[in-house]
Amino acid sequence: MATIVCSHVDKAYGAVNVIKDFNLDVADQEFIVFLGPSGCGKSTLLRMIAGLEDISGGDVIIGGKTVNDLPPRDRGVAMVFQNYALYPHMTIYDNIAFGLKRMKISSPEIDTRIRAVSSTLGLDPYLDRKPNALSGGQQQRVAIARAMIKTPRVFLFDEPLSNLDAKLRNHMRVEIARLHQKLKTTTVYVTHDQLEAMTLADRIVLMKDGGIEQVGTPAEIYERPRTLFVAGFIGTPNMNFIDAMVKANGDGWLLCVEGASFAVSGRRFSLSDGQKIVLGIRPADLEAAAAGSTEINCVTGKADLVEFHGNDALVTFLFADKEIGALVKAGGCPKPGDDVRFVVNEGRMHLFDRQTGLTLLA
């Protein structure tokens, strides 16, 4: 087992700096997920930890030892790639054994290890087959087995499920979670899929433009996003954003938008009179107002689009020149053209400074 420390890590390709002063401590046995859009640097960072990319500046420390100049084989890490990288002419047994044979491990020891790993991952029936006789999910399990058999101190996963269909992704996600619970190996996992991140991670490292936007547990990042970018990236359906102006209102505040206003207390947010802000509301946090009620903090409009999601439906309507989505129970959802009215609970509001994009939570 091992800790991982990234200390002031930089990566540049010529004049282009793709990783900028990256600092992170990963605890022993922790499951960390690097999450972010394409091009944010998450895979590059993983490859630097693995030793597949040179480090332009800073240090990568694994198990208390600086590994900047160590080749991949000496870092105690094993990597599972997006493409399975299996040898098509070899059996599954030989694919799993390949790395150990290069390490001059004895044949009886190799066989013992393969039997243990294949049993854990349910690969026993497939050891004599070639990769092209296996499904995508089975091939990915072989790639994981090949990494596991080296008994690494650190597992590195680079978008391992992105080539699978939705059903297989769900199945493999559960398998990876169970595998981590059993092995307790320190794991760094890269994905652009927020569902994978939210369900697998002990902590999420949300990245943007080569830097960290926020680090926290899935619940922390979902419930207390630090920036507009985080709030917009995490959550399905996406958070609604409404531009507003702050006005003093006794010992509280009014958030004034076109044709409406929202009252908030002076305790939950750090606001100032005349401040330009962005009000964020998750679709699931919009509650249907009772018929004929005069509730404050309402958003209203005419249903434009109703998307059926199974138990729920997403109702889209126009409010303050913004397209707003509300997640409601499918059984009683409005029809396109119906008037809709939803209440916004202050405790579920997210407020951000419009200029800096930072949260205004006190």
Side-chain angles (χ1 to χ4, degrees):
M1 304 301 178
T3 58
I4 304 171
V5 177
C6 296
S7 178
H8 303 288
V9 171
D10 286 297
K11 177 62 180 179
Y13 296 100
V16 180
N17 198 1
V18 295
I19 301 292
K20 306 158 189 172
D21 195 29
F22 188 95
N23 294 278
L24 180 71
D25 288 4
V26 180
D28 185 29
Q29 301 185 11
E30 191 172 20
F31 197 121
I32 285 282
V33 173
F34 291 163
L35 175 66
S38 297
C40 71
K42 54 189 185 295
S43 289
T44 300
L45 189 60
L46 193 77
R47 291 172 65 85
M48 285 195 287
I49 295 172
L52 303 177
E53 291 274 1
D54 292 331
I55 299 169
S56 303
D59 293 303
V60 172
I61 303 163
I62 299 176
K65 182 177 182 179
T66 301
V67 298
N68 292 25
D69 300 322
L70 288 182
R73 66 176 178 272
D74 295 333
R75 296 192 179 198
V77 305
M79 191 160 175
V80 179
F81 296 90
Q82 179 177 344
N83 57 344
Y84 318 128
L86 303 180
Y87 296 105
H89 63 288
M90 293 184 180
T91 65
I92 299 308
Y93 185 100
D94 289 334
N95 264 280
I96 298 172
F98 183 77
L100 296 185
K101 289 178 179 177
R102 292 191 65 189
M103 295 165 63
K104 310 298 185 185
I105 305 295
S106 68
S107 294
E109 173 67 12
I110 290 174
D111 189 68
T112 299
R113 289 202 202 180
I114 289 178
R115 300 300 171 186
V117 167
S118 64
S119 176
T120 298
L121 291 173
L123 292 172
D124 288 341
Y126 314 116
L127 292 178
D128 294 330
R129 299 187 190 179
K130 300 284 180 67
N132 62 6
L134 271 59
S135 70
Q138 290 164 343
Q139 288 185 53
Q140 191 58 280
R141 273 189 275 162
V142 175
I144 294 171
R146 191 174 53 191
M148 276 179 60
I149 203 166
K150 298 177 184 177
T151 59
R153 295 185 296 165
V154 174
F155 276 133
L156 305 175
F157 289 88
D158 189 8
E159 305 208 41
L161 309 184
S162 58
N163 289 341
L164 306 179
D165 62 45
K167 186 175 181 180
L168 268 178
R169 277 203 306 272
N170 292 338
H171 176 69
M172 287 302 301
R173 191 173 68 242
V174 171
E175 286 202 17
I176 289 172
R178 285 178 175 157
L179 188 63
H180 179 70
Q181 288 178 357
K182 182 175 182 178
L183 300 178
K184 300 295 185 185
T185 306
T186 306
T187 301
V188 181
Y189 187 105
V190 163
T191 183
H192 62 272
D193 185 328
Q194 59 168 297
L195 180 60
E196 285 180 28
M198 297 289 279
T199 53
L200 286 172
D202 294 324
R203 283 191 301 156
I204 294 172
V205 179
L206 187 50
M207 295 180 62
K208 178 188 177 187
D209 298 333
I212 295 175
E213 199 72 4
Q214 185 171 350
V215 179
T217 65
E220 287 169 349
I221 287 184
Y222 182 83
E223 294 170 3
R224 294 185 295 280
R226 180 176 167 270
T227 67
L228 268 170
F229 173 79
V230 175
F233 195 88
I234 294 289
T236 303
N238 292 338
M239 185 182 287
N240 301 301
F241 294 118
I242 304 167
D243 292 337
M245 176 79 77
V246 178
K247 287 188 178 179
N249 180 36
D251 60 354
W253 308 95
L254 284 178
L255 312 179
C256 300
V257 303
E258 184 181 328
S261 61
F262 302 89
V264 298
S265 69
R267 297 180 297 276
R268 189 160 182 263
F269 300 102
S270 297
L271 302 173
S272 58
D273 194 39
Q275 186 176 11
K276 293 180 179 180
I277 68 160
V278 177
L279 166 63
I281 311 163
R282 295 201 184 276
D285 292 332
L286 286 168
E287 301 173 5
S293 70
T294 56
E295 305 241 21
I296 61 169
N297 292 12
C298 281
V299 293
T300 60
K302 282 188 181 294
D304 176 51
L305 184 66
V306 179
E307 301 173 61
F308 182 67
H309 288 188
N311 288 331
D312 302 313
L314 182 66
V315 180
T316 303
F317 60 98
L318 203 64
F319 173 77
D321 287 331
K322 295 281 188 178
E323 202 170 72
I324 302 297
L327 204 60
V328 302
K329 289 297 179 186
C333 69
K335 299 178 178 62
D338 288 352
D339 291 326
V340 293
R341 194 161 182 263
F342 296 96
V343 178
V344 183
N345 185 307
E346 179 189 344
R348 306 305 300 169
M349 290 181 182
H350 302 268
L351 302 186
F352 304 91
D353 184 89
R354 205 183 304 176
Q355 185 175 0
T356 65
L358 295 175
T359 183
L360 293 168
L361 272 173

